[in-house]
Amino acid sequence: MKHLMIKSLSLFGAAIALAGVGVTPGIAATTAQPPVAGQVKSADTGKATTLLVDGSKKEDLAKTLVVLHNTKNTRDLGGYQTADGKWQIRHYQLLRSDNLNKLDSDDVKTFTDKYRVKSVVDLRTPGQVKSAPDVAIPGAKETYISILGPHAYTDGGGDGDFYNQRLTFGYPAITGYRQFLNMLAVNNGGSTLYHCSSGKDRTGIATVLIMAILGMDKQTIVNDFMLSQYTGRTVKIEWISQYYRDIEKNYGSLQNYIDTALAISPTVQAKLRAKYLVSTDGKQTPYPAPSEPAQPNPTPTLPSQPETPKPQPETKPEVVTNGDGDQVTKPKKKAKQVKILKTKKLHTKRVYRVKAHKPWFKDAKLKHAKGKTPKTAKKWRLVKSEKVKIKHKTYTYYQIKDASGHTAWILNKYVTKK
């Protein structure tokens, strides 16, 4: 098995076979003239590559398009159904769009009266915002999250490097989409309108992530992404194919990418489903909300004699080591001291792999667990080594780093060149 090196590379620099991406015969049979997944010639490079299927239809655009005077690509996600067909996205809650800098009074009225927009999220760079600022929507809070960082470095036309390095593994994209998805879980009493310049790349990937969390299947997600082509925008099946290919080769699945790279907690994902999904049986039953842990009843305090809280000793999870050298945490106990005996800087090439499902940490003190390592072919380089002493035993941990700058600390026996 070849190992994937995450670096700046052209979308079609090599022919890459993607397992499990094509549609099933049942899906293909429902389309009059279905596009066929498989080894085809790329429109950009002429080289062979494996593509997803574009099952979008121009007539489907009418089901989602919000008709306005001065935007081309504003769409309501309402009506999309989950893979099991039991739930659908609420209407008038999630709106994706292109530039909002030319809205007229009628457009603004549509957003305020019909869609009750209370939150606008601008995914553009600071320079793009400054050159073409949004028309204000009364009563809506505007949040700026630049998915491309301080500068665009591209016109957003879309290519392999743009999707791989900027929208998939780029640090501003990881942190930006994390902030955006966490924001969506908070009740704002109205709908959220999110957009970039053309409403197809940065906004398109934001929509991919939303729909994946809410439970739509891959083909439905891809079809929505490709609808932008019917609004006068350029999108290609190669771009979304490369996005899925990179994620699945590095994280196994889009869901695992959301869980680990974006670090969207199960609680937040459950809140998103509870907020935006309703039943498809005609009853509009809300998706079940996640259960909240029971809170103890507070002790009443007389106003004339306010209770002064007593200082409590700080408790931290205890870090212990089992017979295999794995770190195990025990909550509500003072942490055992991890003593660093020796630190050494390392300068290696990105040729190392880590074993799957092993504990790794955010810092050298091993206080902040990152969970378990994913099953992935990603390659790392060694940055530092630390000899640490835990409960009278000595262990060696490596700090590892990938091409996108992500780092972690892991026991040396879990690092291999295989």
Side-chain angles (χ1 to χ4, degrees):
M1 179 179 179
K2 293 185 177 180
H3 308 315
L4 176 65
M5 298 183 68
I6 301 176
K7 62 181 180 179
S8 177
L9 38 83
S10 171
L11 176 58
F12 306 111
I16 305 175
L18 177 61
V21 169
V23 296
T24 63
I27 294 176
T30 63
T31 308
Q33 293 181 333
V36 179
Q39 291 293 321
V40 298
K41 292 290 185 179
S42 164
D44 287 342
T45 68
K47 296 184 179 180
T49 187
T50 303
L51 304 181
L52 295 171
V53 168
D54 176 10
S56 66
K57 302 176 183 178
K58 187 173 183 179
E59 54 265 32
D60 292 337
L61 181 64
K63 300 175 184 178
T64 63
L65 186 67
V66 178
V67 179
L68 300 167
H69 294 159
N70 292 303
T71 71
K72 296 181 179 180
N73 200 6
T74 302
R75 285 138 61 188
D76 184 352
L77 299 191
Y80 279 121
Q81 294 188 5
T82 56
D84 60 12
K86 295 180 179 180
W87 307 93
Q88 65 181 3
I89 300 178
R90 294 175 184 267
H91 290 279
Y92 308 106
Q93 289 294 305
L94 292 168
L95 302 176
R96 54 175 295 173
S97 185
D98 47 359
N99 259 341
L100 304 177
N101 65 307
K102 295 181 179 179
L103 300 179
D104 62 20
S105 59
D106 289 336
D107 294 336
V108 172
K109 185 175 178 61
T110 297
F111 283 136
T112 56
D113 294 355
K114 184 175 181 179
Y115 289 94
R116 296 181 59 249
V117 172
K118 296 298 181 183
S119 176
V120 176
V121 182
D122 192 336
L123 305 177
R124 298 176 299 163
T125 63
Q128 292 171 331
V129 172
K130 184 178 180 180
S131 63
D134 287 350
V135 173
I137 298 177
K141 177 183 178 182
E142 184 132 16
T143 303
Y144 301 95
I145 303 175
S146 177
I147 295 299
L148 300 181
H151 306 286
Y153 297 118
T154 177
D155 61 2
D159 56 32
D161 184 64
F162 178 72
Y163 273 79
N164 185 352
Q165 293 298 312
R166 306 307 301 278
L167 296 184
T168 313
F169 303 115
Y171 180 77
I174 293 289
T175 56
Y177 284 133
R178 178 185 301 142
Q179 179 185 351
F180 172 63
L181 292 169
N182 279 290
M183 281 180 57
L184 289 183
V186 179
N187 185 10
N188 58 19
S191 64
T192 296
L193 170 63
Y194 59 99
H195 77 98
C196 56
S197 296
S198 298
K200 62 187 183 71
D201 295 314
R202 287 165 286 188
T203 298
I205 295 304
T207 306
V208 167
L209 297 170
I210 293 170
M211 294 177 70
I213 292 174
L214 295 184
M216 282 77 243
D217 60 62
K218 182 190 288 187
Q219 190 61 56
T220 299
I221 295 171
V222 170
N223 290 349
D224 177 79
F225 178 89
M226 294 302 298
L227 282 181
S228 288
Q229 67 186 303
Y230 305 116
T231 68
R233 308 299 186 182
T234 300
V235 289
K236 298 180 181 180
I237 195 64
E238 291 96 323
W239 302 345
I240 192 64
S241 296
Q242 181 71 13
Y243 179 79
Y244 270 100
R245 182 184 299 119
D246 288 335
I247 284 177
E248 289 169 356
K249 285 209 168 188
N250 284 278
Y251 292 92
S253 68
L254 180 57
Q255 183 60 55
N256 194 45
Y257 170 81
I258 291 169
D259 294 340
T260 58
L262 298 186
I264 306 301
S265 71
T267 298
V268 168
Q269 294 184 51
K271 287 182 177 179
L272 287 169
R273 288 187 283 270
K275 182 176 179 181
Y276 295 110
L277 293 179
V278 293
S279 63
T280 57
D281 57 7
K283 297 180 181 179
Q284 296 284 301
T285 304
Y287 190 92
S291 57
E292 297 289 344
Q295 298 295 327
N297 293 328
T299 302
T301 303
L302 295 177
S304 58
Q305 296 178 344
E307 182 180 5
T308 302
K310 295 181 181 180
Q312 299 294 326
E314 180 182 4
T315 58
K316 298 180 180 179
E318 179 182 358
V319 181
V320 297
T321 305
N322 62 19
D324 294 328
D326 293 343
Q327 303 300 312
V328 181
T329 59
K330 293 184 178 181
K332 298 183 179 180
K333 290 185 179 181
K334 187 175 181 180
K336 293 292 184 181
Q337 182 68 31
V338 178
K339 184 177 181 181
I340 298 177
L341 303 178
K342 185 178 180 180
T343 301
K344 183 179 179 181
K345 289 186 177 181
L346 303 174
H347 303 280
T348 69
K349 294 182 179 180
R350 195 172 295 106
V351 295
Y352 294 89
R353 294 179 60 197
V354 297
K355 296 181 180 180
H357 311 301
K358 302 300 180 182
W360 56 353
F361 302 86
K362 294 182 180 180
D363 58 35
K365 294 282 188 177
L366 314 181
K367 291 181 179 179
H368 303 290
K370 295 185 68 173
K372 300 290 185 179
T373 56
K375 186 178 181 181
T376 173
K378 181 188 292 190
K379 291 184 180 180
W380 304 77
R381 69 183 181 90
L382 307 184
V383 180
K384 292 181 184 178
S385 67
E386 299 271 17
K387 282 190 176 181
V388 300
K389 191 172 184 180
I390 307 172
K391 293 187 69 174
H392 309 294
K393 291 186 179 181
T394 301
Y395 303 93
T396 299
Y397 279 80
Y398 287 141
Q399 185 183 39
I400 57 177
K401 186 175 184 179
D402 68 9
S404 298
H406 304 129
T407 61
W409 287 87
I410 188 169
L411 196 64
N412 63 338
K413 71 176 183 178
Y414 298 144
V415 178
T416 177
K417 273 191 174 183
K418 292 181 181 180

